């Protein structure tokens, strides 16, 4: 069996790696947070606390799997898998290295955006079906936040698409051989990172699950592996946004030849995963209305302006 | 691709029927989303990946989210479900059923008299953009003006 784009081996390897990495991130995040907050973090189970993840998994799988009697069973059971499925599907268009990927799609960027917009249902249905006021408040916030930030996320990507002239993520990487898009598209990059944090509702934008205000937001009523799916889905989202940043703005697997391409990809993506954790450790949570105002009144005009200037630049370059 | 087309079509039919039959509004919405997604798959099978993605992003991803958003704020409970069930009387099915039956007859007769074969032609994103910003530029501009008018109206209404 050959290791190429779309081969069964490639698909299985990517699926396995992505899920294991997302699970390991639970430990990585806690250790990194400990480092930045001058404490130790989980270091008891196994070497460096590495087996903490295994212990957590055993705990979460053996917990009582409980559906509240007042919940709407159909939507309650449907909500957690949605986030896992849509994010894992998004990984199918990510080009990890030459020959490593699931599909080479000409609509790659659009596919990721479509899946991101479907991800909102997980949070909304989860909160709505719980029949709990805190869960409902959380999912209302999540819905507004995700729908709004999806817009800026899409528009900030279009600058890169205009420069590369394609929606195909692999071709976008290849077109960065003479220079990464981080330089011409630094504004788009900043908007994308902010929107990416908001889309994966990670701290500091974890307003849908703000513990201090609304218990745990949309997953208040969830326990066991159903909660676990929301949890792992969040980390999968972190990995996905980091991979997208690398692919779109930092030249994907491209790098000096002394390291294999896949190593470059993993290294670059790890930097952004660590950055996500640092954000959590460093920045306090804004208020809900601040987040919405910031998005619509600042990020939207800025991203439109960025798109306009990029378009003008592309036209000017073609005219030369 | 033919298998994909027919299976997606079957899912769309079943899901749409469930939208009408389900008395719980949230369940009906979930079925509607499934129906829209299967229509997206149909577009894909017919060789229009761009239209498929737009269907998923705009209809399933944005408009339906707003529907669900409104639904959340309405606080619909058991009472609405009972009301819905009461409305679902067999006598109500006669009129729409008859009309749909006539439509189906017309549709089938058209299919039989005309030579229609499923021959998907792949339409790439580039082709669509060239068409939109070439021959159809005026229509695109008019649509954008309409959207702008809607945007300003929404702003005005929200400000009051």
């Amino acid at each position: 069996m050959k290791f190429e784009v779309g081969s069964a081996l490639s698909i299985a390897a990517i699926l396995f790696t992505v899920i294991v990495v997302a699970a390991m991130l639970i430990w990585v995040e806690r250790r990194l947070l400990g480092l930045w907050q001058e404490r130790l973090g989980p270091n008891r189970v196994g070497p460096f606390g590495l087996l903490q993840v295994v212990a957590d998994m055993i705990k979460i799988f053996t917990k009582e799997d409980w559906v509240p009697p007042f919940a709407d069973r159909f939507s309650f059971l449907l909500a957690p898998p949605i986030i896992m499925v849509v994010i894992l599907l998004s990984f199918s268009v990510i080009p990890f290295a030459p020959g490593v990927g699931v599909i080479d799609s000409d609509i790659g960027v659009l596919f990721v955006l479509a899946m991101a917009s479907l991800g909102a249902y997980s949070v909304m249905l989860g909160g709505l079906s719980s029949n709990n006021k805190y869960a409902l408040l959380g999912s209302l916030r999540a819905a507004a936040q995700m729908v709004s930030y999806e817009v800026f996320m899409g528009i900030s990507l279009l600058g890169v698409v205009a420069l590369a002239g394609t929606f195909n993520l692999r071709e976008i990487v290849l077109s960065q051989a003479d220079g990464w898009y981080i330089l011409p598209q630094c504004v788009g990059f900043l908007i994308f990172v902010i929107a990416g944090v908001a889309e994966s509702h990670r701290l500091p934008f974890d307003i849908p699950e703000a513990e201090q205000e609304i218990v745990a937001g949309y997953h208040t009523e969830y326990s066991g592996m159903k909660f676990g799916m929301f949890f792992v889905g969040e980390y999968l989202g972190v990995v996905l946004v980091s991979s997208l940043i690398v692919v779109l703005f930092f030249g994907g697997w491209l790098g000096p030849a002394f390291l294999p391409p896949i190593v470059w990809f993993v290294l670059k993506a790890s930097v952004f995963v660590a950055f996500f954790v640092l954000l959590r450790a460093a920045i306090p949570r804004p208020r809900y209305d601040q987040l919405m105002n910031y998005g619509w009144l600042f990020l939207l005009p800025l991203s439109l302006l960025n798109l306009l200037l990029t378009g003008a630049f592309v036209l000017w370059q073609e005219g030369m | 691709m033919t298998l994909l087309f027919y299976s997606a079509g079957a899912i769309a039919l079943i899901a749409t029927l469930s939208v009408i039959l389900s008395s719980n509004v949230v369940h009906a919405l979930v079925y509607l989303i499934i129906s829209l997604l299967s229509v997206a798959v149909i577009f894909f099978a017919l060789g229009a990946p761009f239209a498929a993605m737009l269907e998923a992003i705009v209809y399933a991803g944005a408009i339906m989210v707003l529907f669900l958003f409104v639904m959340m704020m309405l606080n619909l409970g058991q009472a609405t479900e009972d009301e819905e069930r009461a409305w679902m009387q067999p006598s109500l099915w006669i009129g729409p059923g008859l009309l749909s039956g006539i439509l189906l007859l017309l549709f089938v007769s058209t299919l039989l008299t005309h030579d229609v074969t499923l021959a998907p032609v792949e339409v790439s994103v580039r082709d669509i953009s060239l068409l939109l910003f070439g021959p159809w530029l005026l229509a695109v501009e008019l649509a954008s003006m309409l959207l702008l008018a809607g945007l300003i109206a929404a702003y005005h209404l929200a400000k009051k």
Side-chain angles (χ1 to χ4, degrees), chain A residues 56-69 73 76-77 220-228:
Chain A
D56 281 346
M57 280 294 151
I58 293 171
K59 183 188 82 174
I60 217 161
F61 272 111
T62 50
K63 262 190 175 178
E64 186 186 355
D65 200 15
W66 187 65
V67 179
R73 208 180 158 83
F76 192 84
L77 295 180
T220 305
E221 296 292 346
Y222 282 89
S223 65
M225 200 46 214
K226 287 204 277 300
F227 164 75

Side-chain angles (χ1 to χ4, degrees), chain A residues 8 19 49 59 82 85 109 117 119 134 140 155 171 174 195-196 210 214 260 266 291 307:
Chain A
I19 292 179
K59 183 188 82 174
I82 293 179
V85 168
V109 175
S117 58
Y134 297 111
L140 273 177
I155 300 175
E171 283 171 24
L174 290 175
I214 47 174
V266 170
L291 182 76
L307 184 59

Side-chain angles (χ1 to χ4, degrees), chain A residues 72 74 121 139-140 147 165 167, chain B residues 27 33 60 64-65 72 125-126:
Chain A
D72 173 26
F74 173 77
Y121 288 117
S139 55
L140 273 177
V147 169
F167 278 121
Chain B
H27 297 184
I33 295 160
M64 285 300 118
V65 168
M72 281 163 139
V125 182
R126 198 176 295 273

Side-chain angles (χ1 to χ4, degrees), chain A residues 162-164 178 181 184 309-320:
Chain A
L163 284 178
D178 334 313
Y181 287 141
L309 289 177
T310 312
F313 175 75
V314 170
L315 282 181
W316 175 72
Q317 215 178 20
E318 272 176 10
M320 291 240 294

